[in-house]
Amino acid sequence: NEDRSGIYAKAARHTVDPIMEIFAQLNNAKMKRDNADPKQLDASIANLLRMAKKDKYDAYRDIIYYSAAQIALQKPDTANSIIYLTRSIKYNTVNTDYRNNSFLALADIAYGQQRFREAYNFYDSLQLEVPEKGMNDTWQEISERKESLAKLVQRIEAIEHEDSLQRIAAMPEAEREAYVKKILRKLRKDQGLKEDDASAGTATITFNNNKQEAIDLFGGSSKGEW
């Protein structure tokens, strides 16, 4: 392993091919992982991160960050792996394979940490309509896990929705009214409505004494958005 590690390190120093340099760094890190040397793994990650900042590697940043994430997982360091995988996706515009690999790694991490909603979203982001050669078993496993997560997430959201309603219902009336008004203001702001328009939904209901008809709460110069 030491001999192969030295060869990879030498190749990384002398090659003029950016891809070869990246994979030489990655394979050298794998050799050091087998020797259980976390400092060397950190050094390999640092080398890759330095490469990512250089203009000549601009087109390969997705591969560089994905490689750094793979090394971080070998330590293991899932926190930084997530950061590097996210950056790999950010800089990936054409390489579907690496994009899929990054989403799959993020999904597996989230699933292992029981962050099931995030895991489902990552699995759902995979572009694997047609399984790649040799991936039939993997694709089947991913499909089954995604289907199970979809059902689980649906139940989680239903429980959270019910819990939210019960918390609101249990509030004192004044606190509940203030909370609902706060939500209303946020919804109207998200729709691009002015703050002073929010009074439309809180106007006092009155009646005409003669006709006993309710006054139109949403009348006036501005058209309602409800």
Side-chain angles (χ1 to χ4, degrees), residues 116-117 120 146-163:
F116 298 122
R117 185 184 286 108
Y120 172 77
K146 179 182 171 183
E147 184 178 348
S148 298
L149 283 171
K151 295 177 181 177
L152 178 60
V153 168
Q154 186 178 23
R155 286 170 172 77
I156 291 173
E157 290 179 346
I159 291 171
E160 290 178 349
H161 179 69
E162 181 63 24
D163 287 346

Side-chain angles (χ1 to χ4, degrees), residues 9-224:
K10 186 175 181 179
R13 286 195 303 269
H14 295 287
T15 185
V16 294
D17 183 345
I19 292 294
M20 183 177 289
E21 182 177 358
I22 293 168
F23 282 100
Q25 293 279 8
L26 181 59
N27 286 308
N28 188 27
K30 289 180 179 178
M31 295 298 100
K32 291 169 180 175
R33 174 202 61 184
D34 295 337
N35 292 331
D37 189 345
K39 290 184 178 180
Q40 291 296 330
L41 292 177
D42 286 338
S44 296
I45 292 173
N47 286 335
L48 287 169
L49 297 182
R50 281 195 293 270
M51 291 168 63
K53 294 179 180 180
K54 296 180 180 179
D55 292 340
K56 72 173 183 176
Y57 300 112
D58 183 68
Y60 307 101
R61 284 178 178 170
D62 56 333
I63 300 177
I64 292 172
Y65 282 119
Y66 176 78
S67 299
Q70 292 301 299
I71 297 172
L73 283 173
Q74 293 169 15
K75 294 180 60 177
D77 179 2
T78 54
N80 278 315
S81 293
I82 291 171
I83 293 173
Y84 303 146
L85 289 168
T86 303
R87 290 180 185 175
S88 178
I89 293 169
K90 175 184 176 181
Y91 290 110
N92 190 326
T93 57
V94 295
N95 197 327
T96 303
D97 289 343
Y98 274 96
R99 190 175 182 84
N100 281 336
N101 288 336
S102 294
F103 275 124
L104 182 57
L106 285 169
D108 289 342
I109 291 172
Y111 185 84
Q113 296 176 342
Q114 299 186 1
R115 294 184 287 113
F116 298 122
R117 185 184 286 108
E118 292 179 54
Y120 172 77
N121 290 336
F122 288 134
Y123 283 125
D124 195 46
S125 297
L126 292 171
Q127 298 178 16
L128 292 174
E129 289 81 5
V130 179
E132 298 175 18
K133 185 177 180 181
M135 284 192 63
N136 288 327
D137 292 340
T138 303
W139 172 239
Q140 180 66 27
E141 182 180 347
I142 291 171
S143 297
E144 292 175 357
R145 179 173 288 185
K146 179 182 171 183
E147 184 178 348
S148 298
L149 283 171
K151 295 177 181 177
L152 178 60
V153 168
Q154 186 178 23
R155 286 170 172 77
I156 291 173
E157 290 179 346
I159 291 171
E160 290 178 349
H161 179 69
E162 181 63 24
D163 287 346
S164 296
L165 291 177
Q166 290 185 11
R167 282 196 298 271
I168 294 172
M171 290 178 179
E173 184 176 354
E175 183 180 346
R176 181 170 60 248
E177 183 176 352
Y179 181 76
V180 171
K181 286 181 179 179
K182 180 180 178 181
I183 294 176
L184 177 61
R185 285 196 297 270
K186 183 180 185 304
L187 289 173
R188 295 180 69 85
K189 182 178 180 181
D190 291 342
Q191 294 174 7
L193 301 177
K194 294 180 180 180
E195 179 69 21
D196 51 10
D197 289 339
S199 60
T202 59
T204 302
I205 299 176
T206 59
F207 295 91
N208 182 294
N209 291 330
N210 295 324
K211 297 183 179 181
Q212 292 295 308
E213 293 179 355
I215 295 175
D216 184 2
L217 298 178
F218 299 98
S221 60
S222 61
K223 184 178 180 181

